[in-house]
Amino acid sequence: MTSEIRQFLFDSLAVMKYSTAEMDDDTVLGPAGADLESLALAELSLRVEDHFGVRFDEDEAEMFAAMTVGEFCAEVERRVQTATAT
């Protein structure tokens, strides 16, 4: 599941005009990493919500800036598992 989420993340970032060539699981999504701005983090959250059927609170998009790609994928996977278990 994590590899599917990672691929979706990279595909979404490519559509959003971010280069993913140098990204890996240790890349931070915010400054000093992928450098996603708050609007980009919000758009990414919406894309993930629509694709995987999970929900994020509005203020969580800012929290994602401190996450690495690997941490973000793990969080999405945890939410997908929680959503399917209920």
Side-chain angles (χ1 to χ4, degrees), residues 30-74:
D35 204 23
L36 299 180
E37 299 170 356
S38 59
L39 187 58
L41 290 166
E43 181 177 343
L44 181 62
S45 298
L46 290 174
R47 288 174 178 265
V48 169
E49 284 181 342
D50 289 344
H51 188 81
F52 291 103
V54 296
R55 286 277 166 242
F56 299 113
D57 292 333
E58 285 183 31
D59 58 341
E60 288 184 295
E62 291 297 323
M63 176 183 72
F64 299 147
M67 291 181 144
T68 65
V69 168
E71 291 169 337
F72 181 78
C73 291

